């Protein structure tokens, strides 16, 4: 494994260990764990923030990749129940891993890429929306899937505003589940 990959793995380990305290991770700590010189972080990644964004992207990528195996475990559910279940699972992950999720979403918004986590999530949800609404054409399915992912991200990022405006506490799993179900009904027109 080359130094760049060693630094990435050390940073991912620290992110997983520190949880919500990602901002407390230092370049010195990363380099000590990776057993490399301090200058290599800037050489390979430009700065610590870019390195952390890359590592968060990898963490979320692995979760999105697991999405398909989770879909298989829900085979006996109706398409809507499956979408509801997986959507709630996604939102729960976002709120339970707030710092990582926020970095991932904001990074995708500020520097959209064809294969970023938002797009990969979109691709994972598209067949679920299609299964719920086989009567919609391709363009409608794509738009509605985009709407769903966007609403989920904005709800996560603006959870305090939602609490203020609507009295819905998205940190409360029951209220979050009800909110998500309403969103699905609205978007799917069911």
């Amino acid at each position: 494994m080359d130094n760049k990959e060693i630094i990435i793995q050390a940073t991912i380990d620290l992110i997983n260990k520190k949880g919500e305290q990602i901002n407390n991770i230092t370049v010195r700590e990363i380099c000590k764990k990776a057993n490399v010189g301090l200058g290599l972080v800037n050489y390979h990644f430009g700065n610590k923030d870019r390195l952390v964004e890359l590592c968060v992207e990898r963490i979320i990528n692995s979760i999105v990749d697991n999405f398909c195996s989770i879909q298989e475990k829900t085979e006996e559910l109706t398409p809507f129940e499956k979408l509801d279940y997986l959507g709630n699972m996604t939102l729960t992950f976002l709120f339970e891993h707030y710092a990582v999720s926020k970095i991932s979403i904001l990074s995708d918004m500020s520097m959209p890429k064809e294969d970023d986590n938002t797009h990969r999530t979109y691709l994972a949800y598209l067949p679920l929306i299609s299964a719920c609404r086989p009567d919609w054409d391709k363009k409608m399915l794509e738009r509605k899937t985009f709407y769903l992912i966007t609403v989920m991200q904005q709800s996560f990022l603006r959870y305090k505003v939602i609490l203020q405006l609507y009295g819905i506490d998205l940190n409360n799993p029951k209220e979050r589940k009800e909110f998500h179900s309403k969103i699905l009904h609205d978007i799917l027109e069911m």
Side-chain angles (χ1 to χ4, degrees):
M1 195 178 324
D2 66 355
N3 282 338
K4 186 175 182 179
E5 203 53 43
I6 290 169
I7 293 168
I8 290 169
Q9 284 306 306
T11 306
I12 288 173
D13 290 346
L14 287 168
I15 289 170
N16 288 331
K17 179 181 172 190
K18 299 253 182 175
E20 295 304 302
Q21 306 302 316
I22 292 175
N23 291 334
N24 294 341
I25 297 172
T26 65
V27 172
R28 188 172 303 285
E29 191 175 14
I30 293 166
C31 292
K32 182 179 178 185
K33 182 155 185 67
N35 199 27
V36 297
L38 284 170
L40 285 179
V41 168
N42 287 340
Y43 174 76
H44 288 295
F45 307 99
N47 59 46
K48 181 188 90 169
D49 291 339
R50 181 63 198 121
L51 169 60
V52 168
E53 285 176 8
L54 176 72
C55 292
V56 164
E57 184 176 318
R58 283 205 184 172
I59 291 168
I60 301 295
N61 276 344
S62 69
I63 291 160
V64 172
D65 288 344
N66 286 333
F67 196 80
C68 293
S69 68
I70 293 164
Q71 286 185 44
E72 292 169 10
K73 294 176 186 174
T74 60
E75 284 180 359
E76 61 281 347
L77 299 178
T78 68
F80 183 84
E81 290 170 336
K82 188 181 292 191
L83 182 62
D84 192 39
Y85 174 81
L86 293 170
N88 280 305
M89 192 183 71
T90 300
L91 286 170
T92 297
F93 176 86
L94 292 175
F95 281 94
E96 288 180 355
H97 302 90
Y98 186 82
V100 167
S101 299
K102 184 177 178 182
I103 289 169
S104 176
I105 291 169
L106 293 176
S107 176
D108 287 356
M109 286 181 172
S110 65
M111 296 177 294
K113 296 182 287 197
E114 196 170 303
D115 64 340
D116 63 19
N117 289 319
T118 296
H119 187 70
R120 291 167 53 90
T121 303
Y122 164 87
L123 292 175
Y125 272 81
L126 186 59
L128 295 171
I129 300 285
S130 179
C132 288
R133 291 304 305 256
D135 55 315
W136 284 348
D137 66 26
K138 182 180 179 206
K139 291 294 181 193
M140 175 72 87
L141 290 168
E142 290 171 345
R143 271 195 322 274
K144 295 290 188 157
T145 304
F146 176 78
Y147 298 162
L148 177 61
I149 301 306
T150 302
V151 169
M152 289 172 70
Q153 288 178 334
Q154 287 298 308
S155 299
F156 165 72
L157 292 173
R158 299 176 59 84
Y159 75 95
K160 290 179 183 174
V161 174
I162 290 171
L163 178 60
Q164 243 179 344
L165 293 176
Y166 309 113
I168 300 168
D169 182 2
L170 295 180
N171 279 307
N172 177 310
K174 184 177 183 229
E175 290 184 43
R176 183 172 57 238
K177 186 173 177 17
E178 289 171 4
F179 181 75
H180 175 65
S181 184
K182 288 177 186 172
I183 288 169
L184 287 181
H185 281 92
D186 289 347
I187 290 173
L188 295 174
E189 301 172 12
M190 298 176 88

